[in-house]
């Protein structure tokens, strides 16, 4: 009865239907496509196969965002500790010394003497020694090799990068055309970065939801304004730990998770959660503790990247995450006293709060809600209900969106014509799921139709409505 959701990254190189079905049965809830490593045709192959497995699996597409990478490196450049090399954003520049080209033409203008430049996820570190009009002079602080298309990070800098690349725009339009569920935008720094995507979605009348990937200090500093404009957040710890001192990441992770929960916004913890299982069949104790700590913080979802995209033990990795979640979720109790912000329906919020409180007093086994927008289920999730929340959705898109929320088990049906019809259908859902007729449940619904929102709450045995 896992309540923490699992996001799995899927590559077109390994996405056959049976493989996806095995991941789904092992506990995968959401499929992520990483556009940094896929073409539109590659992504389409994954999408078709996922939909063949189940229409309940949401599809999340990940944009590259405003990143800087090395470019034009025809042959790897070997660098020794203490060696002087140069970096430029001008493609036409040629000099006798070792020169690294990067994909941002204003790189020299935006970087200052004394800044640290990290290449290839921090494997190589340089310090800016001098600044010329067309290049920066760097000193290497360790030995390594500079290769083509590797990440370039400058912690603490404020580069004026465009939020959306041409490739990002192509994938956003692709997501709209193929009715995907989420767009996770990389390196979100402020509200303007997500408002640019929202404008494209609004112009296309698309209801795709935006997930902001927080990967630098700017994103952390502006988390409140970002939350005003997104459906959820991903704590992308890979680049975040390069941009910010690694020892600060656990505190920042906890801070962002708390901010998201109080805003009833789904939050995903990502990067290297089971990195060892790319090559080995078992995780380290540190990795198990990392997953458990994310669960103790109350995160909605945990994510696998290379473990399922190209690792040797993808199904085993999902199973490990499922077992760790099931073994540790009960440690964190429901929190009906949590102070929520961004409340857009006081009645729904109050009913959800009371329902969660009742589950801690009476021998309740499940909570059942009907929802048009997903709002009622998200309130219950925000209070971290200690029981499964069965959310009857009248829109398949909403059903898939709720698959990212902690503790929610969404399912789709046609809209009932009355409250009684909604109530009568509940045994058909719960009894096949293993509940008995003598089990008590809490029901939240709308007396005046689902469009008017939640307006009543009832405690009863399943046998009372059979």
């Amino acid at each position: 009865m896992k309540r923490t959701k699992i996001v799995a990254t899927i590559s077109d190189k390994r996405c056959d239907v049976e493989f996806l079905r095995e991941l789904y049965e092992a506990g995968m809830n959401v499929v992520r496509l990483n556009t940094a490593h896929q073409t539109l045709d590659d992504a389409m192959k994954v999408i078709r196969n996922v939909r063949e497995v189940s229409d309940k699996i949401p599809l999340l597409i990940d944009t590259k965002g405003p990143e800087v990478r090395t470019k034009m490196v025809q042959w790897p450049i070997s660098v020794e500790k203490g060696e002087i090399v140069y970096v430029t954003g001008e493609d036409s520049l040629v000099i006798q010394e070792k020169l690294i080209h990067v994909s941002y033409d204003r790189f020299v203008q935006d970087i200052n003497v004394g800044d640290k430049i990290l290449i290839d996820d921090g494997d190589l570190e340089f310090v800016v020694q001098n600044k010329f009009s067309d290049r920066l002079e760097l000193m290497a602080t360790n030995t390594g090799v500079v290769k083509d298309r590797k990440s370039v990070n400058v912690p603490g800098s404020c580069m004026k990068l465009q939020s959306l690349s041409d490739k990002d725009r192509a994938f956003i339009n692709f997501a709209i055309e193929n009715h995907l569920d989420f767009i996770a935008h990389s390196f979100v720094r402020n509200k303007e970065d997500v408002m640019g995507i929202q404008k494209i979605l609004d112009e296309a009348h698309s209801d795709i939801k935006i997930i902001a990937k927080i990967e630098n200090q700017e994103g952390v500093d502006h988390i409140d304004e970002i939350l005003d404009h997104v459906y959820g957040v991903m704590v992308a710890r890979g680049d975040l730990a390069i941009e910010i001192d690694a020892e600060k990441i656990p505190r920042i992770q906890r801070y962002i998770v708390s901010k998201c929960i109080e805003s009833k916004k789904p939050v995903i913890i990502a990067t290297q959660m089971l990195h060892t299982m790319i090559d080995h069949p078992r995780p380290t104790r540190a990795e198990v503790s990392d997953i458990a700590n994310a669960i103790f913080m109350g995160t909605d979802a945990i994510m696998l990247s290379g473990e399922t995209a190209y690792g040797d033990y993808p199904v085993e990795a999902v199973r490990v995450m499922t077992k760790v979640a099931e073994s540790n979720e009960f440690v964190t109790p429901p929190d009906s006293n949590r102070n929520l912000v961004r409340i857009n329906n006081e009645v729904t919020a109050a009913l959800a709060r009371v329902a969660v409180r009742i589950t801690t007093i009476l021998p309740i086994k499940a909570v059942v809600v009907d929802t048009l927008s997903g709002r009622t289920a998200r309130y219950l999730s925000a209070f971290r209900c200690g029981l499964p929340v069965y959310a009857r959705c009248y829109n398949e898109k909403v059903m898939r969106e709720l698959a990212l929320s902690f503790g929610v088990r969404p399912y789709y049906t046609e809209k009932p014509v009355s409250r009684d019809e909604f109530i009568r259908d509940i045994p058909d859902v719960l009894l096949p799921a293993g509940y008995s007729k003598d089990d008590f449940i809490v029901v939240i619904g709308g007396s005046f139709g689902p469009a008017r929102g939640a307006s009543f709450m009832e405690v009863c045995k399943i046998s009372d409505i059979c």
Side-chain angles (χ1 to χ4, degrees), residues 266-284:
V267 56
I268 306 164
I269 302 299
T271 314
Q272 294 186 337
M273 301 211 80
L274 286 174
H275 189 70
T276 302
M277 292 193 71
I278 291 176
D279 301 308
H280 300 90
R282 284 175 295 278
T284 65

Side-chain angles (χ1 to χ4, degrees), residues 214-384:
I214 305 300
E215 304 184 73
N216 52 37
Q217 188 64 54
E218 280 187 271
V220 176
D221 293 341
H222 296 125
I223 189 64
D224 282 309
E225 70 174 49
I226 291 168
L227 282 168
D228 284 334
H229 296 275
V230 298
Y231 182 83
V233 164
M234 181 189 295
V235 184
R237 302 179 304 177
D239 281 283
L240 193 61
I242 295 171
E243 293 282 338
I244 300 172
D245 293 337
E247 66 271 15
K248 297 178 182 178
I249 300 303
R251 171 169 53 83
I252 289 172
Q253 176 176 314
R254 181 181 292 275
Y255 170 73
I256 294 175
V257 168
S258 179
K259 282 282 185 182
C260 291
I261 294 173
E262 71 179 19
S263 300
K264 68 178 197 311
K265 308 263 183 172
V267 56
I268 306 164
I269 302 299
T271 314
Q272 294 186 337
M273 301 211 80
L274 286 174
H275 189 70
T276 302
M277 292 193 71
I278 291 176
D279 301 308
H280 300 90
R282 284 175 295 278
T284 65
R285 288 184 291 276
E287 288 170 334
V288 171
S289 294
D290 183 35
I291 296 170
N293 282 328
I295 290 166
F296 297 155
M297 291 177 193
T299 188
D300 287 86
I302 43 185
M303 195 175 95
L304 294 165
S305 299
E307 299 94 334
T308 49
Y310 56 84
D312 292 336
Y313 302 95
V315 177
E316 290 84 351
V318 174
R319 287 175 181 155
V320 166
M321 274 195 162
T322 297
K323 289 179 180 178
V324 175
E326 289 175 339
S327 297
N328 292 279
E329 287 167 342
F330 72 92
V331 174
T332 305
D335 188 2
S336 59
N337 294 316
R338 187 184 296 275
N339 180 36
L340 298 188
V341 297
R342 297 175 176 86
I343 291 177
N344 50 16
N345 189 304
E346 293 285 353
V347 173
T348 300
L351 286 172
R353 187 187 298 273
V354 173
V356 172
R357 193 167 295 164
I358 287 174
T359 65
T360 66
I361 300 170
L362 299 175
I364 308 297
K365 293 299 179 68
V367 180
V368 184
V369 303
D370 72 334
T371 182
L372 194 64
S373 65
R375 179 176 56 202
T376 307
R378 285 193 294 272
Y379 275 119
L380 287 161
S381 179
F383 291 123
R384 291 305 185 253

Side-chain angles (χ1 to χ4, degrees), residues 390-433:
Y390 288 85
R392 176 174 179 168
C393 305
Y394 307 121
N395 181 306
E396 290 184 270
K397 190 77 165 51
V398 170
M399 172 187 68
R400 289 190 292 272
E401 289 167 5
L402 287 175
L404 197 55
S405 292
F406 177 89
V408 180
R409 293 170 174 256
Y411 63 99
Y412 169 76
T413 68
E414 294 294 330
K415 192 183 300 183
V417 296
S418 67
R419 163 190 164 179
D420 289 343
E421 184 180 333
F422 159 55
I423 295 290
R424 284 196 302 269
D425 285 352
I426 291 174
D428 295 336
V429 175
L430 296 187
L431 294 179

